[in-house]
Amino acid sequence: MIDIRLSDNLELMAEIEDNTVDLIYCDILYGTGRKFKDYQDLKPKREIIEEHYIPRIKEMHRVLKDNGSIYLQMDTRINHWIRCIMDDIFGYDKFLNEISWCYTGASNNKKTYPKKHDVILFYGYKLIEPQRIPYKSGIHNKGNYFKKKGGKNECRVNELEDIGKIVEDWWIDIYPINPASKERNYDTKKPKALIERIIKASSNEGDLVADFYAGSFTTAEVCKDLKRNFIGCDINPNCLEKAKVRGLFSFTDEHTKVD
Ligand SMILES: C[S@@+](CC[C@H](N)C(=O)[O-])C[C@H]1O[C@@H](n2cnc3c(N)ncnc32)[C@H](O)[C@@H]1O
């Protein structure tokens, strides 16, 4: 089931029963105050951010299963406020990671270090399937694998090279979509590889995954590829066109509800 809606996320979440969603991934409004081509972002004012997010994060908490996980993506403008809201609603004991998704790019900023990472707050349940990436000498530390243990060292190093390094909480191997490319047909569209990593790590086939700030419905396409069910929405009517380009309508005819 791929259920795509054009709606305010508060309205969609109100329709979802308690304790039903296995995984929530949302690339939320970052509080830049910018008018993007595709949508207007919130201003980076604490009252505005709290007014928007507190009711929505309460709803996310209600619909998420007790053993479910939630990932919220933003950047450093508002992550400290969102983290306090998440702690209040989900509980500090449910905080698992603050992942840094790092990239590089042109910048004329000489006043500060150019800001080149997003923050992904991960709360909820432990990883279901820790992901691995190719081990790269000079980037990754071998850690325990490096210690000599009764002559078994060589075998353990080979194992690391064969099966890869468990992904840590800093991601430098996934590139953002080039703003000038054809693929970037929606402002702030995220690469599929980023969402694939999260969905593989924190859900099983057949699980229900939700994205309540879906934009061009990248998460829905990844769910289709990985055989997860999807429910999600965006408030911007142009997003349905983007979902169509991804071929999600032919896939979802029966399930797509356009309000
Ligand atoms: C950062 S973008 C998401 C981009 C998306 N990850 C992608 O790959 O295309 C945030 C989205 O949230 C949507 N949005 C803002 N307020 C919303 C609301 N109240 N309900 C639903 N969607 C909302 C915006 O229209 C925008 O498309």
Side-chain angles (χ1 to χ4, degrees), residues 5-11 25-30 36 38-42 52-53 56 73 177 185-191 195 211-219 233-237 239 242 246:
R5 311 280 185 101
L6 171 61
S7 131
D8 186 316
N9 45 29
L10 262 184
E11 286 169 25
Y25 163 79
C26 297
D27 178 30
I28 62 177
L29 293 168
Y30 285 33
F36 288 100
D38 292 302
Y39 62 91
Q40 171 68 54
D41 200 349
L42 301 171
H52 179 87
Y53 283 112
R56 288 174 170 82
Q73 179 162 353
I177 301 171
N185 64 352
Y186 193 76
D187 277 330
T188 70
K189 183 175 178 178
K190 296 301 176 295
I195 300 171
D211 183 347
F212 300 115
Y213 292 81
S216 61
F217 289 94
T218 315
T219 310
C233 63
D234 202 283
I235 202 166
N236 174 1
C239 292
K242 311 302 166 194
R246 292 184 187 276

Side-chain angles (χ1 to χ4, degrees), residues 20-259:
T20 45
V21 176
D22 296 285
L23 170 65
I24 297 175
Y25 163 79
C26 297
D27 178 30
I28 62 177
L29 293 168
Y30 285 33
T32 60
R34 277 176 61 188
K35 170 90 189 89
F36 288 100
K37 184 165 64 66
D38 292 302
Y39 62 91
Q40 171 68 54
D41 200 349
L42 301 171
K43 289 205 170 82
K45 291 255 182 319
R46 188 167 183 169
E47 318 78 78
I48 294 174
I49 296 299
E50 289 182 346
E51 190 190 356
H52 179 87
Y53 283 112
I54 291 174
R56 288 174 170 82
I57 292 177
K58 279 187 178 158
E59 279 293 86
M60 291 178 195
H61 179 251
R62 183 184 62 74
V63 302
L64 190 67
K65 284 186 180 167
D66 293 339
N67 62 353
S69 294
I70 175 165
Y71 292 71
L72 297 185
Q73 179 162 353
M74 70 219 75
D75 67 19
T76 51
R77 285 182 190 85
I78 62 165
N79 71 319
H80 53 308
W81 294 326
I82 298 292
R83 195 160 156 187
C84 289
I85 298 172
M86 292 294 280
D87 284 351
D88 287 346
I89 295 172
F90 281 85
Y92 179 75
D93 58 319
K94 295 286 182 189
F95 169 72
L96 296 174
N97 282 117
E98 179 171 299
I99 299 160
S100 296
W101 174 45
C102 308
Y103 37 85
T104 178
S107 173
N108 289 324
N109 180 4
K110 300 205 174 64
K111 283 194 294 192
T112 65
Y113 299 101
K115 294 169 184 157
K116 297 292 175 193
H117 79 279
D118 277 13
V119 170
I120 306 174
L121 298 178
F122 168 32
Y123 279 69
Y125 195 63
K126 64 179 183 195
L127 293 174
I128 293 173
E129 188 65 56
Q131 299 296 292
R132 288 181 181 268
I133 46 176
Y135 165 76
K136 285 202 180 124
S137 162
I139 292 185
H140 296 128
N141 190 325
K142 283 183 176 153
N144 283 339
Y145 289 89
F146 201 56
K147 286 182 196 146
K148 279 205 187 327
K149 275 189 187 162
K152 290 188 186 148
N153 184 40
E154 201 181 324
C155 163
R156 299 204 69 212
V157 171
N158 287 344
E159 185 190 316
L160 181 63
E161 276 160 7
D162 286 348
I163 64 174
K165 174 90 176 159
I166 287 191
V167 171
E168 296 168 317
D169 64 356
W170 50 281
W171 300 357
I172 59 169
D173 59 319
I174 296 176
Y175 299 103
I177 301 171
N178 182 340
S181 74
K182 258 193 169 174
E183 193 193 346
R184 173 76 170 257
N185 64 352
Y186 193 76
D187 277 330
T188 70
K189 183 175 178 178
K190 296 301 176 295
K192 283 176 70 178
L194 181 87
I195 300 171
E196 262 164 26
R197 176 169 292 170
I198 291 171
I199 290 182
K200 283 182 181 166
S202 286
S203 69
N204 293 302
E205 273 191 24
D207 278 357
L208 179 60
V209 177
D211 183 347
F212 300 115
Y213 292 81
S216 61
F217 289 94
T218 315
T219 310
E221 187 176 358
V222 174
C223 285
K224 185 186 85 170
D225 295 349
L226 297 178
K227 301 189 171 55
R228 269 66 166 175
N229 295 301
F230 172 84
I231 186 161
C233 63
D234 202 283
I235 202 166
N236 174 1
N238 295 339
C239 292
L240 295 178
E241 198 46 48
K242 311 302 166 194
K244 243 185 225 167
V245 172
R246 292 184 187 276
L248 290 170
F249 275 99
S250 54
F251 182 76
T252 60
D253 275 345
E254 286 175 56
H255 303 291
T256 303
K257 299 186 187 148
V258 178
D259 294 330

